[in-house]
Amino acid sequence: MNPDPITDVLEFLQQPAWTTGIFWLLGLASLAIAVYAFVILPSQRRATHICDWAFRFLIGAMWWQQTLWKLPPAYTDHPEQPFGETGLAYWMTVMGKSAAVPLQADFVNNIVLPHFYLFAPIVYGLEVLTAVSLILGIFVRLWGVIGALQILNLWLGLYSAPGEWPWTYFFLLVLMLIFSLHRYGRSLGLDAIIAARSRSESILGRIFLAVTT
């Protein structure tokens, strides 16, 4: 039987793995933060903020789900398979063959892949932190840009990959920039609470809030 979105989501939420437990904790924390912000901040009591929170949470869940096939220490969901045939190493190999920019392909082939276990934790960590940022609504302006840069790398790197539609990555790139530009963390997220409670009078403090939230 062909998979459907509802079945896929239910299976994702019920996988017997430590990552599922962490996701449930993040989801409950996101809901608790949203309720708290809604109750204590009158400016948050708008339908637009509720919608923004839902959109941010869903894309954060997507980021989290995409980390599940590149789990450490092998950075794959099939560690029994030879290196380079599954997981992050496989897609890095594809990127080395399909990148739209030759310089990017050379970097992947000559630097990243030969030092895979140096770069893999960085890739995995950035994706996890992007997911956490969106789910909890913390430092979304900053991590929206970081997420957009990650998607830019995928967009260019998989531009000519067989079976890939480049616009998929471009749409996600634009979406991450929208989250950052319009400060989606300030919609029922920790950023909204931080901004409301901030009493910083220093220039550096104001710059930090402006850049991160």
Side-chain angles (χ1 to χ4, degrees):
M1 184 174 65
N2 291 331
D4 62 85
I6 296 176
T7 301
D8 282 349
V9 169
L10 291 176
E11 289 181 355
F12 166 57
L13 295 176
Q14 298 178 57
Q15 291 179 355
W18 61 269
T19 51
T20 306
I22 294 179
F23 178 77
W24 274 101
L25 289 175
L26 288 171
L28 292 173
S30 180
L31 181 60
I33 292 166
V35 171
Y36 180 76
F38 187 89
V39 170
I40 69 167
L41 301 175
S43 62
Q44 294 286 297
R45 300 169 194 168
R46 298 177 184 173
T48 53
H49 284 306
I50 296 174
C51 291
D52 289 349
W53 167 77
F55 299 152
R56 173 170 51 78
F57 180 87
L58 289 172
I59 300 302
M62 183 279 297
W63 275 93
W64 180 266
Q65 188 179 36
Q66 293 308 301
T67 68
L68 302 183
W69 56 264
K70 56 173 75 75
L71 292 173
Y75 298 97
T76 175
D77 54 346
H78 292 287
E80 74 281 358
Q81 298 294 322
F83 177 83
E85 293 190 6
T86 63
L88 184 59
Y90 168 78
W91 285 105
M92 283 186 171
T93 302
V94 173
M95 185 177 292
K97 298 175 181 178
S98 306
V101 181
L103 183 62
Q104 183 183 14
D106 291 340
F107 179 75
V108 171
N109 291 325
N110 300 323
I111 297 179
V112 176
L113 282 172
H115 303 91
F116 176 78
Y117 289 104
L118 173 63
F119 287 93
I122 298 173
V123 173
Y124 176 74
L126 287 174
E127 292 193 12
V128 168
L129 290 173
T130 302
V132 172
S133 170
L134 293 178
I135 291 172
L136 300 183
I138 184 167
F139 301 150
V140 170
R141 168 160 276 196
L142 173 63
W143 282 98
V145 172
I146 294 174
L149 291 174
Q150 294 176 75
I151 299 301
L152 177 64
N153 177 61
L154 291 175
W155 178 52
L156 295 175
L158 299 176
Y159 198 84
S160 301
E164 293 291 321
W165 190 42
W167 278 103
T168 301
Y169 299 102
F170 189 79
F171 290 147
L172 185 55
L173 166 65
V174 171
L175 189 58
M176 294 302 298
L177 291 176
I178 290 173
F179 285 168
S180 176
L181 181 63
H182 293 282
R183 298 182 167 184
Y184 269 50
R186 295 197 182 191
S187 290
L188 301 177
L190 283 173
D191 285 348
I193 299 171
I194 292 171
R197 294 186 177 275
S198 175
R199 297 294 183 270
S200 177
E201 298 295 335
S202 69
I203 295 178
L204 289 179
R206 291 197 296 269
I207 291 175
F208 176 79
L209 283 178
V211 170
T212 58
T213 69

